Amino acid sequence: MSSVPQHVKELMRLARKEQDTDLKEMMIDTIKHYWTTKNEITLGRKISMSALASNEKMARIEPWGTELDSDEVRHDVDSVDDILAKTILNDLEKRGISIIRITAQSPDNYVIRAVAKLIGPLAPRQNDYKGDIKMIQPKPSGASFSGDTLADLGLHVDGTQHSETPCVMIFHYIAGAKVGAMSVFVDTTKALLDIDEKRRNELLINLARPDAATFSKKGMVHTGPLIYFSPTDSLVCRVRFDDVIKVNPKCRSDFNLLKKTFNDPEYRLEFRPRNGDIIVFDNWRILHARDEVFGLPIRQHWRAWITTLKPTLLPKYYLGIRPVAAATAAKIEAANKKRVSIIKKPKTK
Amino acid sequence: MRFPELEPFKQRLPKLTAEISRAEEFVSEVFARPGKSDPAVHDIRPVQLANRLSVDEPLALVVLKCFDDAGIITPRYDVICPTTGLVISSYASKTNLPDEVSCPFEIKTRHTLNEYYVELVFEFTSTFAKKHRLPV
């Protein structure tokens, strides 16, 4: 007889840790129900981590820093078609960002819808806004820490308060500011790869705790890991550097290192979008920010969130942070699942 | 989408009512995913549910068993090539797992029961898919 398979052993170990006797018994029975066979088999959970690879070439990624010129990812096109789809998806996979200019096309909201159709389904709501395409127009009275404010908007990913952050974001600029309002993008992959490997792995694993941070904005609250695997097995960075986030003290030093690294000017791609520009980027990998808007501007753009790539594209294109060593990925995954007690403070009147 | 089939399980397992309700949300989302060409888009992996619920995998498995017993999902065992990580074949029951399998990804290679990996995934039962019209 060979030894009991490793995966079943691990499941049994977790089940035996359960304090509740009834629940423990149920777990053990269920594991036996699904896994124990008369034959000895090599059971090994192989979560399809297709987006993870051992090197950048295999991960089909080109991490970038300040050396990236926005012209390198900008494309002048005549129409929204399958060629444009390939261009955007290749950019998304390699650089995480793509800029499109459609010749002689007015910035109506059907354009962003047509572009989204090439990539995946639109999220039906964005924070407290119900609808798949939101008009963003900064105003003095706009809510803080949102695109609606004129003030400087720090680096962040969108949808931090949702249970799943959108994988891809699309901005379509109707009218740009004349002064200020520079758009900033940072490739988290590049910044992370520049951290010493041992330190980087520690950081990724620690920030994968399910109680790493709490995000509170517009009446929505989400507590979860800052680094986690999406349902499609991409490694996601959910982070922001403003008052919306409250970081677990146990993650504070790692969070501060991320903050310092991501805010390093060495990693900034900075430019002012022109009217009509469409910016598509990987929200699981790329952080975005915007400088203060000055004067009496009418800066307007449409914003759309894409929840997941189209099923036909899922096996073909990789998104998110990569490459990640398999051992680290396994530890991140285990950390994501770790049971922790999230103590909610009672509301005070 | 709520699953009336699960009500008896919620009553029988009051300790798991919250987890079952949250799993309903996850399973509904998977069910609502469009996609005819890639059936795997509707697969449910215990580890994914565990991540969503922030629980350990054995507890996620208990919750999924409720869905299984309610006739919503059914288990499937994918046999995976240990070299390429690709699925070689799938079986509805663990008792049907072959002693040896010919690998379509490696020329003249066969993997024995002790070599290949097995992944447990859940798929929607055909009755449930027909009843609720699985999106295509």
Side-chain angles (χ1 to χ4, degrees), chain B residues 9-75:
Chain B
F9 295 91
K10 287 182 188 169
Q11 283 166 17
R12 201 189 311 156
L13 305 166
K15 286 175 188 170
L16 293 179
T17 309
E19 278 83 1
I20 294 173
S21 299
R22 287 172 61 210
E24 273 181 301
E25 285 172 26
F26 176 76
V27 172
S28 304
E29 281 171 29
V30 176
F31 187 78
R33 282 180 193 158
K36 190 180 181 182
S37 53
D38 183 9
V41 82
H42 294 121
D43 285 350
I44 297 164
R45 290 175 169 74
V47 67
Q48 289 176 329
L49 180 66
N51 278 343
R52 169 64 79 91
L53 302 182
S54 298
V55 299
D56 287 331
E57 197 174 325
L59 187 58
L61 213 50
V62 172
V63 173
L64 285 170
K65 190 166 183 296
C66 296
F67 284 74
D68 183 3
D69 293 344
I72 298 167
I73 55 174
T74 184

Side-chain angles (χ1 to χ4, degrees), chain A residues 37-308:
Chain A
T37 64
K38 283 179 188 171
N39 297 324
E40 294 293 331
I41 54 171
T42 306
L43 299 167
R45 180 168 46 74
K46 290 282 280 186
I47 184 166
S48 52
M49 292 181 178
S50 53
L52 302 181
S54 55
N55 63 48
E56 289 168 31
K57 196 177 171 188
M58 281 174 74
R60 302 202 296 258
I61 190 167
E62 291 177 17
W64 49 266
T66 196
E67 76 285 353
L68 181 73
D69 190 315
S70 57
D71 284 344
E72 290 177 50
V73 285
R74 182 155 52 221
H75 311 277
D76 291 291
V77 298
D78 293 325
S79 59
V80 176
D81 53 19
D82 58 330
I83 299 171
L84 178 62
K86 277 194 178 167
T87 306
I88 294 175
L89 288 160
N90 281 331
D91 273 354
L92 276 181
E93 188 174 66
K94 283 183 185 167
R95 264 76 173 266
I97 185 166
S98 191
I99 307 168
I100 311 300
R101 266 182 204 159
I102 306 173
T103 314
Q105 174 61 55
S106 59
D108 301 304
N109 70 357
Y110 58 77
V111 179
I112 196 168
R113 214 178 281 281
V115 172
K117 216 171 173 182
L118 305 173
I119 304 166
L122 290 171
R125 60 182 299 165
Q126 301 179 21
N127 298 322
D128 59 341
Y129 174 77
K130 284 181 187 167
D132 53 8
I133 297 174
K134 188 184 177 192
M135 160 74 78
I136 308 282
Q137 185 173 331
K139 292 176 196 151
S141 58
S144 307
F145 316 118
S146 78
D148 301 327
T149 178
L150 287 176
D152 189 275
L153 200 54
L155 283 171
H156 65 286
V157 301
D158 266 25
T160 48
Q161 309 74 247
H162 287 252
S163 59
E164 296 292 340
T165 53
C167 68
V168 173
M169 304 261 305
I170 310 179
F171 291 156
H172 188 186
Y173 289 85
I174 303 164
K178 303 288 180 191
V179 182
M182 296 289 276
S183 290
V184 176
F185 296 90
V186 169
D187 183 1
T188 55
T189 302
K190 170 70 177 166
L192 284 168
L193 285 173
D194 284 352
I195 299 173
D196 164 71
E197 189 180 357
K198 189 168 174 264
R199 181 73 187 94
R200 178 173 72 236
N201 290 341
E202 284 170 5
L203 175 149
L204 291 173
I205 294 161
N206 189 33
L207 295 181
R209 297 171 57 99
D211 58 352
T214 298
F215 303 87
S216 318
K217 188 179 159 184
K218 296 185 175 178
M220 298 174 72
V221 179
H222 175 81
T223 299
L226 295 181
I227 301 290
Y228 68 98
F229 281 104
S230 73
T232 49
D233 298 331
S234 293
L235 191 59
V236 180
C237 176
R238 179 199 293 257
V239 78
R240 58 189 308 142
F241 304 112
D242 54 22
D243 287 355
V244 171
I245 185 171
K246 291 242 175 327
V247 181
N248 183 329
K250 289 174 184 165
C251 299
R252 177 57 65 183
S253 75
D254 289 329
F255 175 78
N256 286 342
L257 176 58
L258 270 196
K259 187 176 179 179
K260 189 180 160 207
T261 310
F262 290 164
N263 278 300
D264 189 327
E266 198 181 322
Y267 301 113
R268 287 165 82 93
L269 167 66
E270 199 170 331
F271 61 95
R272 185 182 302 118
R274 287 194 196 168
N275 298 354
D277 276 3
I278 300 170
I279 303 179
V280 187
F281 61 95
D282 178 350
N283 189 53
W284 288 346
R285 167 183 166 194
I286 305 289
L287 300 181
H288 65 285
R290 192 211 64 217
D291 284 353
E292 191 174 349
V293 183
F294 294 106
L296 295 168
I298 302 173
R299 183 183 191 267
Q300 293 179 315
H301 66 86
W302 299 108
R303 182 180 73 186
W305 288 1
I306 290 177
T307 51
T308 177

